[in-house]
Amino acid sequence: MVYNKSHTSLSSRKSSFFNTHQLSHQPQPDVYFVGVDVGTGSARACIIDTNGLILGLCERPITRNELKRNHITQNSTEIWNAICFCVKSVLRDSGVDGSEVFGIGFDATCSLVAISESKDAPAAVGPDFNDDKTNIILWMDHRAPDETNAINATGDKALKYVGGQMSIEMELPKIKWLKHNRPKGLDDLKFYDLADYLTHKATGSEARSYCSTVCKQGFVPIGVDGSETGWSKEFLEQVDLPELAANDFQKLGGVPGKNGTFLSAGDIVGKLTPKSAEELGLTTETIVGSGVIDAYAGWVGTVAAKVDLPTHPELSQDSNGSMETACGRIAAVAGTSTCHVSMTKEPCFVKGVWGPYRDVMAPGYWLAEGGQSCTGALLAHVLSTHPAHGELVHLADASNLSKFDYLNLVLENMVTETNSRSVVALAKHIFFYGDFHGNRSPIADPNMRANIIGQSMDSSVKDLAIQYFGACEFIAQQTRQIIEEMEKGGHQIKCVYMSGGQCRNGLLMRLLADCTGLPIIIPRYIDAAVVFGSALLGAVAAQELVEEHINSGGRARKDSLAKSQTDLKNISNKRADSPLGSPYTAPSATASHTNLGALGYGGAPMHMSTVGEEPQDYFNQTAPPKSPKVDTASDSDSEDEQTLSFGSKLNTSQKVSKGLAAKARSEFKPLTSLSDAKKSDSITTAKTTDPGDRLWQTMEKLTGPGKVVMPHKDSHPDRKLLACKYKVFLDQCYKQQEYRKMVDEVEATN
């Protein structure tokens, strides 16, 4: 089957459509990078050019099974097939030939993958141990509370580097559960975090990433706190897992420099194997970069965005090329929940914040990860449980607005009707504390619950609007609380880089700015920041290959591809020009894919603008009108999944394409291409030997411009009111713990 070339084909890119008045820097015409993001509910892929513009984006659902309560599994074969579908789709839709893809990067959820050592094939993780296809214990699987408690009871120093205790969502508790419940224990098993499994599947390499092993498996990098091998034999024996220490920790990837290889983000893992190259539609010359956990890919894809901000000139200028520039920029990767990822040069220990983790992003640098248990899920819950939810749905549909935009409009009208000073003043007597699902950061208390002061018996849409505002305010106040605790521990936070659909909510962004007192940076890729970040990992891994290609005028690439094609022909049962499978006959839902290339190069250069510098209202980021209703999500889909999350959404690609169309035609300013950058010590130069600096320079060159929501001045009435309500917020938080303790002490004597 022959697919039609898109507007991003080489011939089109040389046409007048991409002339110089539209594009200040032409992209390198035959160099591309692919990113892969595996979320909880879908796999996604994107393809970018040397200006960092996404030319194609595809998403395909993946299933998860819960045969027994809290036992949630997935299938690595299904995930890999979904990835291959998505990568082939973005190649087709962008018109890019697979031979022009120089690098590929992977990110994924922090889920545990079990593989047979003898067969290098999936191995069952239960509860049905006869089904080898279900070989992934999903991050959200909570089957191992007893094992988690036993690990934390050791008080081992390794726990110091995961926030003081292991979470049930980390991977050692899951491995311990397998030992006690699998018929053969841990015999013939090796383990990967999902991102590491994907690079293994792609290259055949047993290399592991620091991101996965340090953040989720208890690895402490050599030299940290006396660590000599990374893994602690004593710790593993304490938790009754001596099998993991056998043969120099072979089941976990080995010992660095002895029988194992451990890599920071974007380091070279290797090239695609002939089999994986064929399955992905790429070549064996494609370089694979070391992967990361999905939230960390969001950090990669956002924190280098430039904005025109006079008060923060360092955000609008090229840096000195050092990864140290990233310190002080916290990424808030928002979806159903929100992760807060921040880098420091020295280790900073913060209660309730996971880490510090050394080397996970760059050698010698430390990352910490805070989090809010529910943010998008909180807003969805507030809407769906209120008596006026049905009326809201009807009114929003009739107005051709999203539910959130309609509620923002209701609040704005209420300000006028009540002659209130502002929306903040309108809701001044609502004190909403929203830890419905426990607290992850900064108090790390799973027993925390929500409490709301100021409710009435009103059940109207206006009351729903006030409750919704309270939930938004809670998200912003808790973000302030997390940042303040991180700063007490040594972090110096200068600005917040958001990603995810919550960026579209102007009310929430304004509250975040005014509660934290920090600039809120919104990236050009709201929904695709994570998969874009993984593409940057592929770009940094392929730097030297790209440099060689440019310097040789393409001859080096042609020679290596000739050998690559010979290797591919030797694959048995090779299917030449095989079409993509139809998403409509797929066993799980449908797939979505989008050609974004024409959008990215279709308009005027961008002026990097700021939003909300003047004391205007809270509704200055109006979303485009909602398109006519399409049956892309069932009624069972949660509100946050349809509008707020950065991952696994069936309609995300369509939303991204519409958003990019408007942005690209009026705002996006293409950045320096690799060929131009070569002349000015670009990201492709081999002169930069520090891997962390190479990653930062790639991020800085390709991330592109963003927008900023500035906080009002400290003296602004809304800032003063929010600061006052923050004191109430802290009381609602800590007093709840005091009250629980007081009651429990009495009950213990009864």
Side-chain angles (χ1 to χ4, degrees):
M1 180 180 293
V2 177
Y3 299 111
N4 293 328
K5 291 284 185 179
S6 78
H7 289 295
T8 56
S9 65
L10 182 58
S11 59
S12 295
R13 286 158 66 85
K14 291 180 177 178
S15 71
S16 59
F17 185 79
F18 296 105
N19 59 38
T20 53
H21 90 271
Q22 292 173 313
L23 185 61
S24 58
H25 294 290
Q26 290 288 341
Q28 185 69 27
D30 52 358
V31 177
Y32 304 91
F33 311 104
V34 166
V36 171
D37 163 44
V38 179
T40 302
S42 71
R44 311 174 79 198
C46 75
I47 186 166
I48 66 172
D49 67 8
T50 56
N51 278 338
L53 285 173
I54 293 180
L55 307 180
L57 178 67
C58 178
E59 177 176 19
R60 193 174 204 185
I62 54 179
T63 57
R64 64 177 185 259
N65 304 296
E66 189 169 2
L67 298 180
K68 186 178 179 181
R69 188 171 182 269
N70 289 328
H71 294 59
I72 308 175
T73 60
Q74 288 185 320
N75 177 337
S76 66
T77 302
E78 179 195 6
I79 288 174
W80 181 255
N81 290 339
I83 289 169
C84 294
F85 176 92
C86 291
V87 172
K88 286 183 174 179
S89 293
V90 298
L91 290 171
R92 178 196 63 192
D93 297 334
S94 65
V96 172
D97 191 276
S99 65
E100 297 174 332
V101 175
F102 279 66
I104 183 171
F106 295 88
D107 75 73
T109 62
C110 46
S111 302
L112 179 71
V113 185
I115 298 293
S116 165
E117 285 187 292
S118 60
K119 300 176 183 177
D120 199 33
V125 294
D128 180 3
F129 287 103
N130 293 316
D131 182 9
D132 283 334
K133 294 189 299 296
T134 56
N135 68 315
I136 297 176
I137 302 181
L138 196 61
W139 65 272
M140 63 195 302
D141 179 292
H142 283 196
R143 69 179 69 182
D146 294 339
E147 290 78 6
T148 303
N149 292 335
I151 290 172
N152 289 329
T154 66
D156 190 90
K157 65 182 180 181
L159 302 176
K160 175 182 176 182
Y161 295 94
V162 290
Q165 61 181 15
M166 278 206 171
S167 164
I168 194 172
E169 295 174 359
M170 294 180 181
E171 293 169 14
L172 274 187
K174 295 175 170 65
I175 296 175
K176 186 173 172 65
W177 184 93
L178 285 173
K179 175 180 178 175
H180 295 153
N181 293 273
R182 182 174 179 261
K184 295 182 180 179
L186 302 183
D187 290 350
D188 194 39
L189 289 183
K190 57 180 178 177
F191 299 100
Y192 303 84
D193 183 72
L194 181 52
D196 287 349
Y197 171 75
L198 296 177
T199 59
H200 167 71
K201 181 75 173 175
T203 65
S205 170
E206 291 290 345
R208 302 297 205 273
S209 67
Y210 283 114
C211 189
S212 293
T213 56
V214 174
C215 297
K216 303 302 174 184
Q217 295 178 349
F219 185 94
V220 178
I222 292 174
V224 174
D225 219 341
S227 175
E228 296 180 352
T229 59
W231 306 107
S232 169
K233 180 179 179 181
E234 295 75 15
F235 176 45
L236 293 175
E237 288 176 344
Q238 279 190 82
V239 300
D240 192 29
L241 290 172
E243 299 91 337
L244 297 183
N247 300 318
D248 290 319
F249 311 97
Q250 181 175 304
K251 290 179 180 291
L252 297 173
V255 176
K258 186 175 183 181
N259 65 331
T261 301
F262 290 74
L263 303 170
S264 295
D267 287 349
I268 297 173
V269 178
K271 295 182 179 180
L272 292 176
T273 65
K275 186 174 187 295
S276 64
E278 184 211 359
E279 291 170 344
L280 292 164
L282 303 174
T283 75
T284 55
E285 290 304 302
T286 304
I287 301 291
V288 178
S290 182
V292 296
I293 297 165
D294 50 2
Y296 292 71
W299 183 92
V300 173
T302 58
V303 299
K306 293 186 180 67
V307 293
D308 187 9
L309 194 56
T311 57
H312 292 68
E314 71 277 7
L315 300 181
S316 61
Q317 301 169 359
D318 286 334
S319 69
N320 61 4
S322 170
M323 177 58 83
E324 194 167 357
T325 309
C327 296
R329 304 182 181 198
I330 190 170
V333 186
T336 302
S337 58
T338 297
C339 290
H340 303 88
V341 183
S342 180
M343 174 179 280
T344 56
K345 186 62 177 172
E346 301 297 331
C348 297
F349 295 90
V350 183
K351 181 184 176 182
V353 173
W354 293 347
Y357 305 127
R358 201 191 74 185
D359 300 340
V360 299
M361 202 59 67
Y365 288 89
W366 300 75
L367 255 70
E369 178 189 345
Q372 292 168 282
S373 299
C374 59
T375 53
L378 171 63
L379 297 179
H381 176 78
V382 169
L383 268 61
S384 64
T385 59
H386 195 278
H389 179 248
E391 184 182 357
L392 170 66
V393 172
H394 173 74
L395 292 171
D397 284 347
S399 302
N400 199 31
L401 294 171
S402 76
K403 284 177 267 192
F404 297 103
D405 288 331
Y406 188 85
L407 288 174
N408 288 349
L409 182 62
V410 170
L411 289 169
E412 190 175 24
N413 290 337
M414 289 175 68
V415 170
T416 302
E417 293 169 5
T418 61
N419 199 29
S420 297
R421 179 181 52 76
S422 69
V423 175
V424 177
L426 179 71
K428 62 186 177 183
H429 290 153
I430 289 291
F431 305 99
F432 190 112
Y433 186 86
D435 271 339
F436 283 89
H437 195 56
N439 182 283
R440 176 179 159 189
S441 298
I443 61 175
D445 184 350
N447 297 314
M448 290 296 292
R449 292 296 180 264
N451 58 85
I452 305 171
I453 300 172
Q455 284 186 299
S456 71
M457 295 183 70
D458 188 354
S459 60
S460 67
V461 170
K462 290 183 178 180
D463 180 73
L464 173 52
I466 294 293
Q467 298 298 322
Y468 152 73
F469 174 88
C472 289
E473 183 184 335
F474 163 77
I475 292 170
Q477 299 282 29
Q478 191 171 68
T479 301
R480 172 181 174 176
Q481 183 188 22
I482 292 170
I483 289 174
E484 285 188 350
E485 292 300 315
M486 294 180 74
E487 289 181 328
K488 290 176 186 177
H491 290 262
Q492 296 179 344
I493 308 299
K494 301 175 183 175
C495 49
V496 180
Y497 287 77
M498 292 294 303
S499 61
Q502 292 178 28
C503 293
R504 295 192 185 90
N505 191 327
L507 170 64
L508 180 56
M509 295 302 103
R510 164 57 56 203
L511 285 170
L512 281 165
D514 281 349
C515 286
T516 64
L518 297 173
I520 306 298
I521 314 297
I522 301 171
R524 63 173 169 178
Y525 298 130
I526 290 175
D527 291 296
V530 175
V531 70
F532 173 71
S534 67
L536 296 186
L537 300 180
V540 68
Q543 280 180 18
E544 291 186 5
L545 192 63
V546 172
E547 181 76 5
E548 181 184 10
H549 169 72
I550 295 174
N551 287 338
S552 69
R555 290 189 300 275
R557 183 71 169 176
K558 292 176 183 177
D559 292 343
S560 60
L561 284 173
K563 182 179 184 304
S564 170
Q565 293 304 314
T566 301
D567 291 340
L568 290 175
K569 289 177 182 178
N570 292 331
I571 302 175
S572 60
N573 301 319
K574 183 177 185 302
R575 296 164 295 169
D577 298 323
S578 59
L580 297 173
S582 168
Y584 302 104
T585 59
S588 59
T590 60
S592 58
H593 45 87
T594 305
N595 175 0
L596 306 177
L599 307 180
Y601 290 98
M606 177 182 183
H607 62 282
M608 295 185 288
S609 58
T610 58
V611 178
E613 288 185 338
E614 298 300 322
Q616 299 175 4
D617 63 53
Y618 281 81
F619 309 95
N620 51 14
Q621 293 186 3
T622 305
K626 196 168 62 174
S627 59
K629 291 184 68 175
V630 179
D631 188 18
T632 57
S634 69
D635 291 338
S636 63
D637 289 339
S638 64
E639 187 68 30
D640 60 286
E641 287 192 344
Q642 294 184 46
T643 58
L644 294 176
S645 178
F646 66 88
S648 66
K649 313 297 168 254
L650 295 179
N651 57 357
T652 293
S653 294
Q654 292 90 332
K655 288 183 177 181
V656 170
S657 66
K658 292 175 183 176
L660 286 178
K663 287 177 178 291
R665 290 173 184 142
S666 63
E667 298 178 357
F668 288 165
K669 179 179 179 180
L671 302 182
T672 306
S673 70
L674 291 184
S675 55
D676 290 324
K678 174 188 168 187
K679 302 172 185 177
S680 59
D681 250 355
S682 79
I683 62 169
T684 62
T685 179
K687 295 178 182 178
T688 302
T689 57
D690 184 271
D693 292 349
R694 287 200 302 269
L695 173 59
W696 173 253
Q697 291 164 19
T698 301
M699 293 162 57
E700 194 171 44
K701 292 293 182 181
L702 301 187
T703 300
K707 288 186 175 182
V708 60
V709 180
M710 287 294 295
H712 290 113
K713 294 180 179 180
D714 292 346
S715 58
H716 189 277
D718 284 346
R719 287 288 306 277
K720 292 193 292 185
L721 178 54
L722 289 168
C724 177
K725 292 186 73 177
Y726 181 63
K727 297 175 183 177
V728 180
F729 164 86
L730 293 177
D731 270 352
Q732 287 177 283
C733 176
Y734 296 112
K735 287 294 184 182
Q736 179 182 158
Q737 291 181 306
E738 289 183 28
Y739 296 154
R740 281 206 319 265
K741 181 180 178 181
M742 179 176 65
V743 170
D744 289 345
E745 287 174 351
V746 172
E747 186 63 20
T749 64
N750 290 339

